[in-house]
Amino acid sequence: MSSEWQKRIEGEWHGRPGLFDAEGNHVGFERVDRASVVEDGVSRYWMHTSLEGAGPLRNRFELGAHFDFGIVDSDQNRVYCGPDFYGTGQPYGLFVEANYYSPGWQADLRTWNQVLADGETQVYSSVLHDGWAVCAVFNGVYKRTFDHKTNPETQKFVDEWIALETQRGSRPQVLPTKEKGAWTGELFVNPVDQSDAGKVDVVIEHDPLSLRRARQQVTWTGDVERSYGFERLRDGARTQYEGPDVWGNAISYGRALFTTQHLMNADSRGVEKIRGREVLIDADTRELAVVWQLMSGETTTHFVHGLLTWESA
């Protein structure tokens, strides 16, 4: 019997994730059609890919073949059995965190794949490592189909989506610089034991102070409650968090910001931190897909994930 995660990712998914070097520079795209399928009781994952770009990463990631690998399907651990990827992933509701190795790319990957509440959209990223050092990042947004091979209307939809992703994918994440407002939404909460703890209402109040600096106040209410404020400074692809309640930094790979925030307010007393990914799906609508890994010390306690929408003040 298929796992709940397997059911959530049925069908084919189509995207054109951007490829970035370790410094956050956009260097190419990879056109991808992929699916996780169950055939004769055996689970496998296939990916049809076409890489575009230049420089050493093109040489490294051009393999001349499509990916195909076996999976042990489970709601506790999805085990990738090779030959193209070896490792495991853990589902948390509509989000899966995976860590695996690619012999072809000679890289260790940490992949976050987030299905949004519409069930038709995936926000994807893979951070590739040589040991502990980042060597490259892929990230993008995928749409699902069930009849792409046979339906001209579906093929047209996918072509239009790929063209849109090409416009969005290389654009760096720059939050509003002269406009106050807030991101709001109801996010899912999953404890590290992979159970469903419920939801939280999140508000991120945003107040620009200059073209590179802004003040934010973040409030969670619901099954997990937190409140913290900070100033953030953007320096190219890098962002710094400069108190009073949060200290840390981040780096953007296009519209995806990867962040580490140490919470220093009275509630957390410096014990808690957030490792997160915040993806500005569309710079025009400013929809923000977030995944926050809430930690106590070095122990993960919860994953908080979902979509936030923008409203100007």
Side-chain angles (χ1 to χ4, degrees):
M1 184 175 180
S2 297
S3 68
E4 290 302 313
W5 175 258
Q6 182 69 33
K7 295 174 185 176
R8 291 185 176 111
I9 61 172
E10 290 177 346
E12 292 188 22
W13 296 84
H14 310 270
R16 195 168 190 250
L19 172 61
F20 301 84
D21 68 16
E23 300 301 315
N25 301 303
H26 180 255
V27 296
F29 285 100
E30 183 161 44
R31 174 72 173 88
V32 180
D33 301 293
R34 56 176 167 79
S36 177
V37 299
V38 179
E39 298 174 345
D40 299 324
V42 177
S43 299
R44 55 183 280 265
Y45 206 114
W46 60 260
M47 291 191 293
H48 294 169
T49 63
S50 177
L51 184 64
E52 301 173 17
L57 292 180
R58 173 66 184 270
N59 290 333
R60 178 169 180 173
F61 297 145
E62 184 68 70
L63 297 180
H66 298 310
F67 290 111
D68 201 325
F69 54 99
I71 298 175
V72 177
D73 178 36
S74 163
D75 279 315
Q76 286 70 49
N77 295 286
R78 288 172 62 81
V79 183
Y80 310 126
C81 305
D84 293 335
F85 291 103
Y86 295 94
T88 186
Q90 286 75 43
Y92 300 91
L94 292 174
F95 165 72
V96 68
E97 178 184 43
N99 179 216
Y100 45 89
Y101 184 76
S102 166
W105 285 346
Q106 302 172 64
D108 193 70
L109 289 80
R110 184 164 295 278
T111 296
W112 281 14
N113 203 352
Q114 172 189 14
V115 178
L116 299 184
D118 65 6
E120 304 300 320
T121 309
Q122 284 186 17
V123 183
Y124 152 87
S125 67
S126 281
V127 182
L128 284 68
H129 296 82
D130 291 325
W132 285 27
V134 173
C135 63
V137 174
F138 284 104
N139 67 68
V141 183
Y142 287 72
K143 286 292 188 179
R144 174 161 67 170
T145 70
F146 290 95
D147 59 355
H148 179 252
K149 292 182 179 179
T150 59
N151 189 332
E153 290 186 5
T154 301
Q155 294 166 5
K156 181 174 182 291
F157 166 77
V158 170
D159 289 343
E160 291 173 348
W161 176 253
I162 296 304
L164 186 59
E165 278 294 282
T166 301
Q167 297 174 19
R168 295 173 174 175
S170 63
R171 190 170 177 176
Q173 186 187 112
V174 178
L175 302 185
T177 57
K178 292 188 176 181
E179 185 178 353
K180 293 179 63 174
W183 284 274
T184 62
E186 186 180 64
L187 304 185
F188 300 99
V189 179
N190 294 94
V192 72
D193 66 4
Q194 299 171 289
S195 62
D196 182 3
K199 299 178 180 179
V200 295
D201 291 311
V202 169
V203 178
I204 303 176
E205 300 172 72
H206 178 76
D207 183 10
L209 303 176
S210 73
L211 292 176
R212 296 193 300 127
R213 185 180 290 272
R215 180 182 296 114
Q216 291 189 337
Q217 182 68 35
V218 184
T219 306
W220 308 6
T221 55
D223 292 301
V224 179
E225 299 197 340
R226 298 290 186 275
S227 180
Y228 47 92
F230 51 88
E231 288 190 12
R232 54 187 290 164
L233 174 66
R234 182 176 60 85
D235 180 12
R238 291 172 173 78
T239 294
Q240 287 81 44
Y241 305 100
E242 299 186 333
D245 297 330
V246 172
W247 294 87
N249 62 12
I251 183 169
S252 66
Y253 297 93
R255 55 188 160 167
L257 185 77
F258 294 81
T259 175
T260 300
Q261 303 177 349
H262 298 265
L263 307 184
M264 303 300 293
N265 58 13
D267 294 335
S268 64
R269 297 181 178 85
V271 173
E272 284 191 328
K273 61 176 168 281
I274 293 170
R275 289 178 181 159
R277 185 194 70 191
E278 301 171 359
V279 179
L280 195 65
I281 292 178
D282 182 348
D284 295 325
T285 66
R286 295 170 181 164
E287 289 183 314
L288 193 67
V290 303
V291 178
W292 291 328
Q293 181 180 5
L294 182 62
M295 307 179 73
S296 178
E298 281 298 298
T299 302
T300 301
T301 61
H302 300 82
F303 284 96
V304 180
H305 52 96
L307 185 68
L308 302 175
T309 58
W310 168 265
E311 185 174 345
S312 298

